[in-house]
mmCIF file of all heavy atoms in Angstrom:
data_model
loop_
_atom_site.group_PDB
_atom_site.id
_atom_site.type_symbol
_atom_site.label_atom_id
_atom_site.label_comp_id
_atom_site.label_asym_id
_atom_site.label_seq_id
_atom_site.Cartn_x
_atom_site.Cartn_y
_atom_site.Cartn_z
ATOM 1 N N ARG D 449 -3.936 -6.512 16.783
ATOM 2 C CA ARG D 449 -2.965 -6.880 15.753
ATOM 3 C C ARG D 449 -2.308 -5.666 15.106
ATOM 4 O O ARG D 449 -1.117 -5.685 14.850
ATOM 5 C CB ARG D 449 -3.622 -7.760 14.683
ATOM 6 C CG ARG D 449 -3.999 -9.136 15.219
ATOM 7 C CD ARG D 449 -4.302 -10.112 14.104
ATOM 8 N NE ARG D 449 -3.110 -10.471 13.331
ATOM 9 C CZ ARG D 449 -3.134 -11.182 12.213
ATOM 10 N NH1 ARG D 449 -4.282 -11.616 11.745
ATOM 11 N NH2 ARG D 449 -2.021 -11.464 11.578
ATOM 12 N N LYS D 513 2.413 -2.717 6.676
ATOM 13 C CA LYS D 513 2.296 -2.611 5.218
ATOM 14 C C LYS D 513 0.970 -3.211 4.757
ATOM 15 O O LYS D 513 0.437 -4.117 5.402
ATOM 16 C CB LYS D 513 3.426 -3.393 4.556
ATOM 17 C CG LYS D 513 4.774 -2.741 4.678
ATOM 18 C CD LYS D 513 5.764 -3.525 3.827
ATOM 19 C CE LYS D 513 7.148 -2.935 3.942
ATOM 20 N NZ LYS D 513 8.142 -3.773 3.266
ATOM 21 N N VAL D 515 0.132 -5.352 2.634
ATOM 22 C CA VAL D 515 0.027 -6.793 2.411
ATOM 23 C C VAL D 515 -0.230 -7.526 3.734
ATOM 24 O O VAL D 515 -0.901 -8.556 3.761
ATOM 25 C CB VAL D 515 1.277 -7.328 1.665
ATOM 26 C CG1 VAL D 515 2.528 -7.212 2.486
ATOM 27 C CG2 VAL D 515 1.081 -8.756 1.208
ATOM 28 N N TYR D 516 0.268 -6.970 4.851
ATOM 29 C CA TYR D 516 -0.008 -7.568 6.162
ATOM 30 C C TYR D 516 -1.310 -7.015 6.737
ATOM 31 O O TYR D 516 -2.030 -7.723 7.443
ATOM 32 C CB TYR D 516 1.148 -7.311 7.123
ATOM 33 C CG TYR D 516 2.477 -7.817 6.586
ATOM 34 C CD1 TYR D 516 3.516 -6.937 6.295
ATOM 35 C CD2 TYR D 516 2.673 -9.171 6.335
ATOM 36 C CE1 TYR D 516 4.729 -7.398 5.783
ATOM 37 C CE2 TYR D 516 3.875 -9.641 5.816
ATOM 38 C CZ TYR D 516 4.899 -8.745 5.541
ATOM 39 O OH TYR D 516 6.082 -9.210 5.024
ATOM 40 N N ASP D 519 -4.044 -9.198 5.825
ATOM 41 C CA ASP D 519 -4.202 -10.358 6.723
ATOM 42 C C ASP D 519 -5.086 -9.986 7.906
ATOM 43 O O ASP D 519 -5.975 -10.730 8.304
ATOM 44 C CB ASP D 519 -2.836 -10.766 7.306
ATOM 45 C CG ASP D 519 -2.015 -11.631 6.343
ATOM 46 O OD1 ASP D 519 -2.605 -12.247 5.443
ATOM 47 O OD2 ASP D 519 -0.782 -11.688 6.535
ATOM 48 N N LYS D 532 -7.520 -19.523 3.937
ATOM 49 C CA LYS D 532 -6.476 -20.253 3.214
ATOM 50 C C LYS D 532 -6.650 -20.136 1.707
ATOM 51 O O LYS D 532 -5.703 -19.861 0.983
ATOM 52 C CB LYS D 532 -6.464 -21.719 3.656
ATOM 53 C CG LYS D 532 -5.483 -22.615 2.883
ATOM 54 C CD LYS D 532 -4.022 -22.246 3.128
ATOM 55 C CE LYS D 532 -3.076 -23.093 2.280
ATOM 56 N NZ LYS D 532 -1.722 -22.528 2.199
ATOM 57 N N GLU F 1158 7.000 -9.781 -0.404
ATOM 58 C CA GLU F 1158 5.829 -8.912 -0.265
ATOM 59 C C GLU F 1158 5.285 -8.482 -1.621
ATOM 60 O O GLU F 1158 4.114 -8.154 -1.749
ATOM 61 C CB GLU F 1158 6.203 -7.668 0.566
ATOM 62 C CG GLU F 1158 6.421 -8.001 2.039
ATOM 63 C CD GLU F 1158 7.096 -6.885 2.828
ATOM 64 O OE1 GLU F 1158 7.528 -5.879 2.200
ATOM 65 O OE2 GLU F 1158 7.215 -7.024 4.044
ATOM 66 N N LEU F 1174 0.177 -22.801 6.320
ATOM 67 C CA LEU F 1174 0.580 -21.464 5.866
ATOM 68 C C LEU F 1174 -0.647 -20.762 5.307
ATOM 69 O O LEU F 1174 -1.076 -21.035 4.194
ATOM 70 C CB LEU F 1174 1.679 -21.562 4.801
ATOM 71 C CG LEU F 1174 2.935 -22.326 5.240
ATOM 72 C CD1 LEU F 1174 3.929 -22.420 4.094
ATOM 73 C CD2 LEU F 1174 3.567 -21.663 6.450
ATOM 74 N N GLU F 1176 -1.854 -17.103 6.250
ATOM 75 C CA GLU F 1176 -1.869 -15.660 6.008
ATOM 76 C C GLU F 1176 -0.739 -15.277 5.058
ATOM 77 O O GLU F 1176 0.221 -16.026 4.860
ATOM 78 C CB GLU F 1176 -1.704 -14.915 7.334
ATOM 79 C CG GLU F 1176 -2.832 -15.215 8.318
ATOM 80 C CD GLU F 1176 -2.988 -14.119 9.348
ATOM 81 O OE1 GLU F 1176 -1.987 -13.720 9.933
ATOM 82 O OE2 GLU F 1176 -4.142 -13.661 9.537
ATOM 83 N N ASN F 1177 -0.854 -14.044 4.513
ATOM 84 C CA ASN F 1177 0.234 -13.517 3.683
ATOM 85 C C ASN F 1177 1.548 -13.583 4.446
ATOM 86 O O ASN F 1177 2.586 -13.965 3.910
ATOM 87 C CB ASN F 1177 -0.051 -12.059 3.302
ATOM 88 C CG ASN F 1177 -1.298 -11.927 2.444
ATOM 89 O OD1 ASN F 1177 -1.702 -12.880 1.773
ATOM 90 N ND2 ASN F 1177 -1.916 -10.758 2.456
ATOM 91 N N TYR F 1178 1.459 -13.191 5.712
ATOM 92 C CA TYR F 1178 2.660 -13.207 6.545
ATOM 93 C C TYR F 1178 3.287 -14.606 6.565
ATOM 94 O O TYR F 1178 4.507 -14.751 6.458
ATOM 95 C CB TYR F 1178 2.318 -12.759 7.975
ATOM 96 C CG TYR F 1178 3.488 -12.899 8.891
ATOM 97 C CD1 TYR F 1178 4.461 -11.906 8.940
ATOM 98 C CD2 TYR F 1178 3.660 -14.049 9.670
ATOM 99 C CE1 TYR F 1178 5.577 -12.051 9.749
ATOM 100 C CE2 TYR F 1178 4.767 -14.192 10.473
ATOM 101 C CZ TYR F 1178 5.726 -13.191 10.515
ATOM 102 O OH TYR F 1178 6.828 -13.343 11.287
#
Side-chain angles (χ1 to χ4, degrees):
Chain D
R449 291 195 69 188
K513 287 187 182 173
V515 66
Y516 304 116
D519 279 338
K532 175 66 184 164
Chain F
E1158 289 167 353
L1174 303 177
E1176 299 203 311
N1177 296 336
Y1178 174 83

